[in-house]
Amino acid sequence: MLHRLLALGGILLACSALQLRAQDSVRLSGLIYADYAYTITSPDGTSDGENAFQYRRAYLTADFVKSDRFSGRLRLDGAGSRLNGSGPQTPFVKDLFLVWKNAIGEGHNLTMGLSPPPVFGISEAQWGYRGLEKTIQDRAGISSSRDQGVKLSGPLGRLPSVRYSVMVAGNTSVSPEDDKYKKVYGQLEFKPGERFHGTLGSSFADRADGSQMDVNGFIGYTSGGTNVGIEAFHSVRTIDAAPGDLQRTGISVFARHAVSDSKRLIGRVDVFETPTVRNTWVTAGFAFVPESGIQFVPNVIWSKDDIDDNPEVIARMTMIVSF
């Protein structure tokens, strides 16, 4: 079912590109994350020795430009975690948005539809290895990588090194909105020079069972073939039906270094804490790039909750293909 739907999507996108070629620009691209994973140890020992071939992402993307003012994106995602019952993976719409450039003035752009909210997109780009793992806020479920709504972004006054982004959305990720509640995002992006890149952000979500308030920050440094980043967040969720607040805090430190044009070292440490558990998560890998758009990354993941006696250790061979 999955391959049929993706093939149909590809045919439709290709036909659209041919029909619009005279007046529009359409670019098709794809991205694949796939692994062979082997569980060396698990906290209770029940998963020791489990192993599997799997793909975690299969993107098919159409980026289009209608004019100097309007552009957008349609992306299908065949995520390996989304199953049609017990059968094949089910693709879904990951991106579907229109960008109106200079909508309210020079440099101030309006994005409408299903798009990335202003939370961790910049830190994810600095990390550079979403094919190995999500950034910490995404991995901890603090905020989704997509939401449906309206986003405004642009330069902050006359400061060319500072940009703002604000968004009002349904807080439903890629699912249809089915209630009256909304989420508001805000972020300031700082780029004082070529080497440093940072953000400060916050979001507030009204929910049927209470509310959630998040604050987050990121700073990254790039020099030659070396990228380093630190990302942190604090989240407070109030549950109307239960006493007290659920507070979650996390910090992530990562680095990657290009040993040569075809070899890269990768490492990252995350610490995530709730009132009941503290998790430490570590990954290390070595990327081999035989040619542009293809990477093979042997990597190891070590993860341990402080309430467990033993960690979970998983060894993987990850393939990342872009086209």
Side-chain angles (χ1 to χ4, degrees):
M1 182 65 176
L2 171 61
H3 67 279
R4 294 179 180 176
L5 286 175
L6 288 176
L8 177 59
I11 292 171
L12 291 175
L13 291 173
C15 290
S16 298
L18 290 174
Q19 291 174 356
L20 297 174
R21 182 175 295 173
Q23 67 269 30
D24 300 336
S25 171
V26 180
R27 177 181 176 272
L28 301 179
S29 61
L31 183 62
I32 298 169
Y33 304 149
D35 302 300
Y36 170 73
Y38 184 93
T39 301
I40 299 173
T41 63
S42 56
D44 58 6
T46 59
S47 299
D48 293 4
E50 288 188 356
N51 63 97
F53 293 96
Q54 60 182 351
Y55 77 85
R56 288 179 287 113
R57 277 292 187 268
Y59 290 152
L60 180 62
T61 304
D63 290 299
F64 63 90
V65 177
K66 291 289 295 179
S67 67
D68 291 341
R69 295 186 301 160
F70 292 98
S71 61
R73 167 176 288 183
L74 167 62
R75 169 175 284 171
L76 300 180
D77 184 351
S81 61
R82 287 177 172 253
L83 299 179
N84 182 9
S86 59
Q89 290 87 345
T90 303
F92 62 97
V93 176
K94 181 78 169 182
D95 289 308
L96 184 59
F97 60 82
L98 180 70
V99 178
W100 184 355
K101 188 177 179 181
N102 303 326
I104 63 168
E106 183 68 26
H108 299 272
N109 303 328
L110 190 66
T111 302
M112 300 161 281
L114 175 61
S115 69
V119 181
F120 47 76
I122 293 170
S123 62
E124 184 174 88
Q126 182 81 6
W127 160 232
Y129 274 93
R130 173 62 183 84
L132 295 186
E133 187 52 80
K134 304 171 181 178
T135 53
I136 187 170
Q137 291 186 79
D138 196 4
R139 191 172 71 85
I142 301 302
S143 185
S144 175
S145 67
R146 298 297 187 276
D147 211 343
Q148 302 184 64
V150 179
K151 177 172 58 181
L152 184 66
S153 60
L156 189 63
R158 297 185 178 182
L159 300 173
S161 62
V162 183
R163 295 181 59 84
Y164 74 90
S165 293
V166 293
M167 183 176 187
V168 179
N171 195 27
T172 57
S173 185
V174 297
S175 300
E177 189 173 4
D178 58 0
D179 58 38
K180 63 182 180 180
Y181 304 101
K182 296 292 183 286
K183 185 172 184 176
V184 179
Y185 305 83
Q187 185 181 75
L188 291 177
E189 174 189 355
F190 307 91
K191 197 167 185 181
E194 291 298 320
R195 295 188 176 184
F196 289 95
H197 205 170
T199 62
L200 287 174
S202 182
S203 63
F204 177 81
D206 224 1
R207 308 170 62 102
D209 60 352
S211 62
Q212 180 175 330
M213 178 76 177
D214 306 324
V215 293
N216 56 78
F218 162 76
I219 185 167
Y221 174 80
T222 302
S223 178
T226 301
N227 286 46
V228 179
I230 301 175
E231 182 179 12
F233 72 86
H234 180 68
S235 174
V236 179
R237 180 176 174 184
T238 302
I239 309 298
D240 292 342
D245 298 331
L246 173 61
Q247 299 194 39
R248 297 173 290 175
T249 302
I251 186 169
S252 176
V253 180
F254 57 81
R256 54 189 173 97
H257 174 69
V259 179
S260 67
D261 290 343
S262 62
K263 300 178 179 66
R264 300 168 188 167
L265 294 173
I266 306 156
R268 179 173 142 193
V269 178
D270 291 2
V271 178
F272 172 58
E273 188 170 357
T274 73
T276 58
V277 67
R278 177 187 177 97
N279 173 264
T280 303
W281 182 94
V282 181
T283 189
F286 179 81
F288 171 61
V289 188
E291 64 178 67
S292 177
I294 297 178
Q295 297 190 57
F296 297 100
V297 191
N299 60 98
V300 176
I301 295 174
W302 184 96
S303 178
K304 187 178 185 301
D305 291 342
D306 60 357
I307 59 175
D308 293 330
D309 293 329
N310 301 308
E312 179 182 61
V313 182
I314 299 174
R316 301 187 304 185
M317 172 58 79
T318 299
M319 179 179 69
I320 304 172
V321 180
S322 59
F323 57 92

